[in-house]
Amino acid sequence: MAITTTPIGAISRLEHALGGFEQERESHRIRLADAKRRLASYTPRLDESFPFEAKLELKLSQLDEIERHLAATADEPEEDRQEAA
């Protein structure tokens, strides 16, 4: 049995789809405008120094230390690792 669509039904579905398209397009316009505003607030800071650079370097070196320790103890049995902790 074939499904037939009346012209009124087809127009109704098309209008519904276009209505959703307009809402989606407006949502994207708003998101784009918001992204442009945020980008404009970051642009002046491009040439500035990072205020937490020293702290970041310290944390990165601590992380490297932890990773080296984990790599060195990865092959040890679980009991040895618990005793070391």
Side-chain angles (χ1 to χ4, degrees):
M1 179 167 160
I3 298 176
T4 58
T5 303
T6 62
I8 299 292
I11 291 171
S12 175
R13 279 191 294 218
L14 183 59
E15 286 175 342
H16 178 72
L18 289 175
F21 174 74
E22 288 299 324
Q23 289 173 348
E24 187 176 345
R25 196 168 106 182
E26 184 59 28
S27 171
H28 284 290
R29 268 193 215 120
I30 291 168
R31 289 175 56 203
L32 178 61
D34 184 47
K36 285 180 179 179
R37 277 192 301 275
R38 283 184 284 139
L39 180 61
S41 74
Y42 293 124
T43 303
R45 295 187 249 169
L46 287 176
D47 295 325
E48 291 180 11
S49 64
F50 182 59
F52 302 105
E53 193 167 350
K55 192 171 189 175
L56 175 62
E57 291 299 322
L58 173 65
K59 296 294 181 185
L60 287 172
S61 76
Q62 290 172 341
L63 182 59
D64 284 341
E65 203 173 301
I66 291 169
E67 287 178 341
R68 279 194 303 275
H69 176 71
L70 288 173
T73 60
D75 295 332
E76 292 180 6
E78 182 67 28
E79 300 85 37
D80 293 345
R81 279 186 268 161
Q82 287 178 350
E83 289 174 11

